[in-house]
Amino acid sequence: MPLETRKLNQPINTSIYKETTILRKKKKHRDKSDLGPNFVAPDGGWGWIVCIAAGLSNLCLFLPQHQYGLIYRQRMEKSGFDAKEISTIVNAEFAISSLVGLVNGAMFRRFTFRQVGLVGSLLAFVGIFCTTFCENFLQYIVCFASIYGIGLGLCRQANSLALNTYFKTKRRKATGFSWTITGLGFVVFPQLTILMFSLYVVQGTISIYSAIMLHAFMCSLTLQPVLWHSPKTKKVPMIAPQETHGDNENLKCSYCRNQEEDKTLEISEKNDWRPSNNYKNSDNGKESHKLLKRREEAFPNAQSKCDIYSKSGNDIHLHCTCTEEKLLLEKTPGNLPKTTSETEEVEEITPQRKRPSLMQKIIEFFDLDLLKDFTFVNLALGMAIMMFGDMNFTVLTPFILNSFGYTDKQISIGMSCLAGVDIGVRFLSPFVLENVKLSNSVLFAIGIIIVSIGRWIVTITSSYNVILASFILLGFGKGFRIIFSPLIIPSYVPLKRLPAASGLQMIFSSITSFTLGPLLGMMTDSFGYAVTIHCINALSFLMLLFWLMEYLIRRRLSKHSITSSNL
């Protein structure tokens, strides 16, 4: 029908705008890190498969970093690299892998840990394979430090988040078991590296290591979403009100409600007086009046909003009037559609929500509110500095022992002894310390103290047997450090904020590596490895002192608050 011949009461369905001009709402992605308030960790089942997969994945991914001194030392020395460049490469790799934590919170809100793990394992493989052809400092920075570092950071965060999500009460056991599997490679591969050097030289050995790292891709496939395996909680159904203005289909008139109430009265009064269901057949008006009173006593709140359109209370309907009452309700002022002017008035009265500023968006995106918590900052910064020192000593151990005059065979035996004790501690400590009432941060601090003592012994002795004994002590402390360091942040922050908290902790590690890494290299060139080890120990004890001071201050403040409340 043409537009000019339409009647006034007929709607105009002619489209004014083209379909391309219609604004479409963007699809909002679900926050995949928010598992809901009723989430219950599986604490077993498929979680043990995830535990084994995370251990094997870390074993494959950490091999080039752990064997850095054995694999690349000879090649870098032939290329003319000095101690500063060698230290800068490994610290840049550690810093870049930690820098991935900057987007940790936003990344795990958008992607699952399986997707992140798959991408990370491929990047790590590409980075190590490309080092086969590296010859200068810049190429190592791009391939080893950047590509491999980003892939390692992604996989490490995915494996850690998967373990902490699948386990809660058995988190210590799962972490210990996973890192025990990872430590098995550190026992065997130093000997295999020496053997592969004699068979395939350096390039062939690096290619084999890159092929081993592809197993991390298969391990990442097992990191299924935790909601597939978490126990289902029973949902309590919400009971909605039966009669509302917005739902007119469920409304009933007085006659229909009286019929239902009469049936209820018939059931409750078994052999007593039974009211008649049909008011038309009621001969006695007094009996009908008594029936109405009895109904009102039994159902005092039986009247609904529909009764305002019905007759007086004493007048009983003799037929159903549901249709009429629904029509009357639809014509009430509250249910009529609002006009444009009324809508504009409501919008003027309603205060408009202010758009967040750029700084507020950045704070929300990276969850920087955690930096307001002094305890979290103290824990994250202390862990960053202490792990920086331990990582540098572990990676540079072949260089340190080689500077003391030991051969590659002696170095590999020492590293295997350290790794063997480390594995034993990783596996046994969760079971031995299950009933020990010590926090994860205290047990981590004990491990750092033992490692610092072992490093100090290495600097003051020239006996190989004493070196082996100190490496056994180092393995004992390192086992404590590796088991309890991934548990400190998860035990302090809620699970929903764990990705962002872990990411910020990795940012602290990245900043520490970028600032202190080159300084350690310059110190090593000027004063040797012994002075460098003493400086690492001094930084570790300084951060332990900060932890102790905060603990004592908080304990004193809590006692003061308790005494004041008692008064």
Side-chain angles (χ1 to χ4, degrees), residues 41-55:
D43 270 321
W46 188 261
W48 293 115
I49 302 296
V50 173
C51 180
I52 296 171

Side-chain angles (χ1 to χ4, degrees), residues 484-504:
F484 297 107
S485 60
L487 300 175
I488 294 176
I489 298 299
S491 62
Y492 183 73
V493 301
L495 186 61
K496 183 180 178 181
R497 306 189 75 180
L498 180 58
S502 301
L504 290 175

Side-chain angles (χ1 to χ4, degrees), residues 218-269:
M218 303 303 297
C219 293
S220 297
L221 290 174
T222 64
L223 305 182
Q224 297 179 357
V226 69
L227 292 177
W228 293 5
H229 305 281
S230 63
K232 301 295 185 294
T233 56
K234 294 182 179 179
K235 294 183 179 180
V236 180
M238 298 296 291
I239 301 174
Q242 292 182 353
E243 297 175 355
T244 58
H245 281 297
D247 188 8
N248 295 336
E249 297 296 329
N250 298 327
L251 292 176
K252 295 180 181 179
C253 65
S254 300
Y255 176 79
C256 294
R257 291 200 309 277
N258 290 335
Q259 293 289 323
E260 292 179 358
E261 292 165 10
D262 288 340
K263 291 179 183 178
T264 308
L265 284 172
E266 287 177 4
I267 294 170
S268 61
E269 300 178 1

Side-chain angles (χ1 to χ4, degrees), residues 93-106:
E93 179 269 322
F94 185 67
I96 292 173
S97 66
S98 302
L99 199 62
V100 175
L102 185 64
V103 294
N104 219 17

Side-chain angles (χ1 to χ4, degrees), residues 12-29:
I12 300 175
N13 297 322
T14 306
S15 179
I16 300 174
Y17 302 101
K18 293 182 179 179
E19 292 185 0
T20 55
T21 61
I22 298 174
L23 294 176
R24 299 181 183 274
K25 289 185 178 180
K26 291 183 179 180
K27 185 180 178 182
K28 191 174 182 180
H29 297 287

